[in-house]
Amino acid sequence: MSHVPRPRTVVGCTLLVIALGAVASACGSDGNPLSARPYDATDQISFNNLGGDGKKSDPDKPLEVIAEDDDRITDVTAVDDAGRYVAGELAADGSRWHSTEPLAASAHYTVRVSTEDDDGAPGRRVLTFDTGKPTSKKRLGVEFGPQAGEYGVGQPVTAKLDQPIKDPAQRAVVERALKVDSTPSVQGGWHWVDDKELHYRPQEYWPAHATLRVHSNLDGIKISDRLWGGPTKDLKLTIGDRVIAVTDASSHSMTVFKNNEEINQIPVTTGKPGFETRNGVKVVLGKEYFVRMRGTSVGIAEGSSESYDLPVYYATRVTWSGEYVHAAPWSVGSQGYANVSHGCTGMSTSNAEWFFDNIRQGDVVQVVNSYGDTMETFGNGFGDWNLDWKKWTKGSALTGGKQKTEQDTSRLRPAAV
């Protein structure tokens, strides 16, 4: 070994078990390498891309940690002042660690390296460095949605980009930096809707009364030679009660559940032949006390036998194309018995008012047993839940549908010893 023997400080059994999670066979013995105070591994560790001589590290280049002589690296963490960890890969023999994602520009990093010598004695080295400015002034902007507030359990989180990202590797950089933290914690993932929009949802609906915090670690991160991440405003959302309304088009009824208990059953009418209501899960987009509904807005020619122009009250929107749950006093005689609408779900004025007052944006409206098509997944509202979890994860640039256990890839030990 190139480093000289270092004095060892014996620690007590109880302290050793707590700190290292291992019980030494001879707690009071100087011969046990685990009982030693970590030695200074400065002479046994070298770095690439640390700048020096007044120069800052190049954020375009990876960080590399190399073990010298017979020492081996056992753990590396690299984190900046914003709390962003750098993912990395450690060689199986512990000889080298390198970052596997870009460093942030204009950032201050702290690197902690753990080593061990050929006798198993632990070593440590801690250092700091700064990275330089981005080489390009072009920044990617991200806007999270919806607006801060309280929503239902079906509300997806959205991330809209101000520039298209098509390259899979660049998408992975962007997606890795977009974070959604929920309390309580649930499994979730991003899905690329198109080149400029991502949606995030959990595997199941959000837990009632959860808190979501959405933020981006993209600021200062290189995406391509001409594009770097820019700053993004954080977002906080809260989730209300679990409210799910299930409309059965064949029985002409809507059953409303709150926190898994039935709270109301409402006679309704849905789309008649040729105008069947979409099947599947929809998410409430908003509520409008008054809407003027015209047949021309859904492609019905004015003056034709199907033409209409009606004042509508207590309208709860579930698609951008004009599907609502609303008051339909003109069809009360058919509600509970027949489907006579042009695609909306109609009910009496009193029932529509109750529904309007007890539903919020993000709540779930599900239609079953209709002869209509299935709700579009994207583009006409939030049909995100009509994709099963396996198909949802295929839209991720990180997993591509491959399920894996989440781990902190910034802290990796060798695969073999």
Side-chain angles (χ1 to χ4, degrees):
M1 298 296 298
S2 60
H3 58 80
V4 298
R6 295 165 177 76
R8 307 302 193 200
T9 301
V10 180
V11 296
C13 289
T14 302
L15 178 60
L16 186 62
V17 171
I18 294 175
L20 299 177
V23 179
S25 58
C27 287
S29 172
D30 286 342
N32 185 347
L34 293 179
S35 67
R37 183 185 300 277
Y39 62 82
D40 181 1
T42 298
D43 295 336
Q44 280 65 49
I45 295 297
S46 62
F47 295 84
N48 288 334
N49 192 27
L50 280 190
D53 296 328
K55 295 182 178 179
K56 295 183 178 182
S57 299
D58 187 349
D60 281 351
K61 297 179 180 179
L63 173 65
E64 187 175 37
V65 186
I66 302 170
E68 306 289 346
D69 299 323
D70 296 327
D71 279 32
R72 62 196 297 271
I73 300 167
T74 59
D75 199 20
V76 177
T77 63
V79 60
D80 70 2
D81 283 351
R84 296 179 292 188
Y85 283 84
V86 179
E89 184 174 82
L90 182 58
D93 61 1
S95 62
R96 177 178 175 270
W97 179 95
H98 69 280
S99 58
T100 56
E101 65 181 16
L103 299 173
S106 303
H108 180 75
Y109 279 94
T110 300
V111 183
R112 294 178 173 84
V113 183
S114 299
T115 65
E116 64 181 20
D117 64 15
D118 53 1
D119 294 324
R124 298 288 186 272
R125 185 177 181 187
V126 179
L127 59 81
T128 62
F129 69 94
D130 296 315
T131 54
K133 295 181 179 180
T135 55
S136 170
K137 294 183 178 180
K138 194 173 183 180
R139 300 288 185 271
L140 177 69
V142 181
E143 182 180 2
F144 291 126
Q147 295 181 351
E150 186 173 70
Y151 294 86
V153 297
Q155 179 66 49
V157 176
T158 63
K160 294 185 178 180
L161 315 180
D162 64 2
Q163 299 170 62
I165 303 295
K166 298 180 180 181
D167 181 78
Q170 295 174 20
R171 283 188 171 192
V173 172
V174 172
E175 184 179 334
R176 188 179 291 112
L178 305 181
K179 307 294 184 181
V180 180
D181 300 320
S182 66
T183 305
S185 178
V186 294
Q187 181 181 10
W190 290 103
H191 183 105
W192 285 80
V193 175
D194 55 37
D195 294 340
K196 296 180 68 174
E197 184 169 351
L198 300 83
H199 288 187
Y200 187 100
R201 49 154 273 208
Q203 184 172 3
E204 306 294 340
Y205 296 134
W206 296 108
H209 311 298
T211 299
L212 313 182
R213 290 180 171 84
V214 189
H215 62 283
S216 170
N217 290 333
L218 201 58
D219 190 18
I221 296 296
K222 181 181 178 182
I223 300 168
S224 70
D225 289 340
R226 297 184 179 181
L227 183 64
W228 292 71
T232 300
K233 183 179 179 180
D234 291 353
L235 173 66
K236 179 182 177 182
L237 305 175
T238 54
I239 304 299
D241 290 316
R242 179 186 173 97
V243 176
I244 298 175
V246 180
T247 299
D248 189 333
S250 64
S251 64
H252 319 293
S253 66
M254 171 190 281
T255 306
V256 183
F257 299 89
K258 182 176 181 179
N259 298 326
N260 300 319
E261 293 187 6
E262 181 179 329
I263 59 172
N264 203 354
Q265 191 168 86
I266 302 171
V268 299
T269 183
T270 62
K272 61 186 177 180
F275 299 92
E276 291 88 350
T277 304
R278 296 169 181 83
N279 276 300
V281 177
K282 304 154 194 175
V283 175
V284 172
L285 302 174
K287 300 189 295 182
E288 302 163 61
Y289 170 70
F290 170 79
V291 179
R292 183 179 177 184
M293 293 189 179
R294 301 178 179 89
T296 53
S297 65
V298 293
I300 299 174
E302 188 173 359
S304 68
S305 60
E306 296 293 348
S307 178
Y308 59 89
D309 187 345
L310 296 168
V312 174
Y313 294 89
Y314 301 112
T316 300
R317 181 186 284 270
V318 293
T319 74
W320 295 123
S321 62
E323 184 179 328
Y324 289 83
V325 177
H326 64 78
W330 54 85
S331 65
V332 168
S334 298
Q335 292 164 18
Y337 301 98
N339 292 323
V340 298
S341 83
H342 287 90
C344 290
T345 298
M347 57 185 65
S348 69
T349 299
S350 60
N351 282 330
E353 182 180 6
W354 179 92
F355 186 77
F356 190 91
D357 291 342
N358 285 276
I359 206 81
R360 65 164 52 88
Q361 187 174 339
D363 283 342
V364 174
V365 175
Q366 182 177 9
V367 176
V368 298
N369 297 324
S370 171
Y371 290 104
D373 295 334
T374 299
M375 168 68 178
E376 302 93 331
T377 309
F378 306 112
N380 194 19
F382 294 121
D384 304 48
W385 301 99
N386 295 302
L387 283 182
D388 64 29
W389 185 242
K390 184 176 181 180
K391 291 181 180 179
W392 182 265
T393 58
K394 286 183 178 179
S396 166
L398 300 178
T399 66
K402 296 179 181 178
Q403 299 296 315
K404 63 179 182 180
T405 302
E406 292 186 5
Q407 59 179 341
D408 183 355
T409 54
S410 62
R411 300 174 59 88
L412 293 176
R413 295 185 178 276
V417 295

